Amino acid sequence: MLKKMKLYLLLLSVMLSLTAVLAEKQKIKFDRPVKIGESFRCDITATNSQSYIISTVDESKSTTNTADAKISGSMKILKTTSKGRPARITFKVWEFTGKLNGKDIKTDIDGKTLEINLEQKPLCGISILNSNKGLNPSHIRLLSLIFRPARDHGLKDVMGTDQKIEIGDSWNPPLNFLIKSLSRRKIKATKEQFEGKVELVNRFTFKGIDCWSIKEKIVSKGIKNINFKFTAELLLPVDPKLGGAVKFSRHGFEEATKKLPASNPLLAGKIITAIISDKMDA
């Protein structure tokens, strides 16, 4: 009986110590640069919807284009940016499917390896490795949903904090990257014109990896002629040595309105509204 009691007390002591460690505030390393030569298994789904409405006092006309793509395969890093983001990669395709405006697009790249230049803009350079055969425009459109040009910011610039935090804590998201992005589109915005929060939601094991669960939400307020909303969720390994997010989901929504100039007699006085929804899960 005494031995059992000692064992119970020992186990209780270990559990209390572990609980204290898990509850302790700590800094999270958000930037997890990839390295040349690393390989990753990837399962990615992306959807995009773009609606355009041209309206006058008397009538309105609208058009909508949609695209859906899903790919699984193995990605290898050939080159990185100064921020440690992928710049050039190869992608061995296991399965690739897609739809444009709800219509299935036949694909013939399963089993092939893509060579992708993420530094090329506005669309990445995508080709079939060791092949003179080019990809058709439909394939390029779908693959461009998944493979986006390398950006000049990392995870820390999007949702990071230097503060010590624990589960349940929240903080204001960094906004410089977003303001700069809008500025390149000649849209003026200040930090005061956004509401947002990043939260450390939980800590649990995902496919054998100890992870932080983090959520982010940013909403615009009072920016002239534009409404913007961004949400993201990700699982980030607790151990920085295990690399970046092992799972993430993000959704961007934007509605922009512009009155067309009087310099064009055919369009003068008309208002065009663009509504864009962009989602990705990986």
Side-chain angles (χ1 to χ4, degrees), residues 38-54:
E38 286 186 321
S39 295
F40 305 92
R41 170 175 177 155
C42 302
D43 297 286
I44 306 170
T45 300
T47 62
N48 181 275
S49 173
Q50 300 181 16
S51 297
Y52 299 93
I53 305 168
I54 298 178

Side-chain angles (χ1 to χ4, degrees), residues 205-273:
T205 301
F206 175 76
K207 294 186 176 180
I209 301 175
D210 188 17
C211 293
W212 297 116
S213 172
I214 304 171
K215 289 185 178 182
E216 178 176 38
K217 182 178 180 180
I218 302 174
V219 179
S220 66
K221 57 173 186 176
I223 302 177
K224 186 177 180 180
N225 298 328
I226 187 170
N227 292 314
F228 173 89
K229 181 179 179 181
F230 175 81
T231 59
E233 298 181 31
L234 61 83
L235 297 180
L236 190 68
V238 173
D239 185 354
K241 295 178 182 178
L242 297 180
V246 294
K247 184 177 177 62
F248 78 86
S249 175
R250 66 164 179 76
H251 180 203
F253 172 86
E254 182 180 308
E255 180 178 352
T257 302
K258 182 178 182 180
K259 187 174 182 179
L260 300 176
S263 57
N264 188 330
L266 295 176
L267 300 175
K270 293 185 177 181
I271 297 174
I272 183 168
T273 301

Side-chain angles (χ1 to χ4, degrees), residues 72-210:
S72 61
S74 176
M75 177 176 68
K76 184 175 181 179
I77 308 298
L78 302 181
K79 182 183 177 182
T80 66
T81 67
S82 60
K83 287 280 188 176
R85 297 175 64 90
R88 290 176 182 265
I89 63 172
T90 57
F91 195 96
K92 174 73 173 180
V93 180
W94 300 336
E95 185 178 10
F96 174 55
T97 59
K99 293 182 179 182
L100 290 175
N101 295 322
K103 181 181 178 181
D104 289 326
I105 300 299
K106 292 183 179 180
T107 63
D108 58 356
I109 61 174
D110 290 4
K112 296 179 181 178
T113 298
L114 303 176
E115 189 173 24
I116 304 170
N117 178 5
L118 299 169
E119 294 179 302
Q120 184 173 311
K121 297 178 180 180
L123 297 179
C124 299
I126 306 174
S127 60
I128 299 174
L129 186 65
N130 300 324
S131 173
N132 294 323
K133 183 180 178 182
L135 294 163
N136 69 48
S138 295
H139 291 171
I140 293 291
R141 171 79 175 94
L142 292 170
L143 289 168
S144 295
L145 282 182
I146 296 168
F147 302 107
R148 313 287 178 95
R151 299 179 180 181
D152 57 0
H153 57 261
L155 186 61
K156 183 178 180 180
D157 302 312
V158 177
M159 59 170 54
T161 177
D162 290 322
Q163 301 298 316
K164 288 186 176 182
I165 52 178
E166 63 183 353
I167 293 171
D169 282 352
S170 61
W171 58 95
N172 294 328
L175 293 171
N176 288 337
F177 83 96
L178 182 55
I179 292 172
K180 287 181 181 178
S181 176
L182 292 173
S183 177
R184 286 193 287 267
R185 297 165 52 193
K186 299 181 179 180
I187 298 173
K188 294 182 179 180
T190 65
K191 293 182 180 180
E192 291 71 30
Q193 291 176 301
F194 294 95
E195 290 181 348
K197 181 176 77 170
V198 188
E199 182 180 3
L200 184 61
V201 179
N202 207 343
R203 177 178 178 172
F204 61 89
T205 301
F206 175 76
K207 294 186 176 180
I209 301 175
D210 188 17

Side-chain angles (χ1 to χ4, degrees), residues 24-79:
E24 182 182 357
K25 284 181 176 286
Q26 56 187 292
K27 285 188 177 182
I28 295 179
K29 181 177 175 61
F30 283 88
D31 278 345
R32 311 285 179 93
V34 297
K35 298 177 182 178
I36 295 173
E38 286 186 321
S39 295
F40 305 92
R41 170 175 177 155
C42 302
D43 297 286
I44 306 170
T45 300
T47 62
N48 181 275
S49 173
Q50 300 181 16
S51 297
Y52 299 93
I53 305 168
I54 298 178
S55 58
T56 63
V57 175
D58 301 319
E59 63 176 350
S60 65
K61 295 181 180 180
S62 65
T63 180
T64 299
N65 296 306
T66 62
D68 304 84
K70 185 176 182 179
I71 197 168
S72 61
S74 176
M75 177 176 68
K76 184 175 181 179
I77 308 298
L78 302 181
K79 182 183 177 182

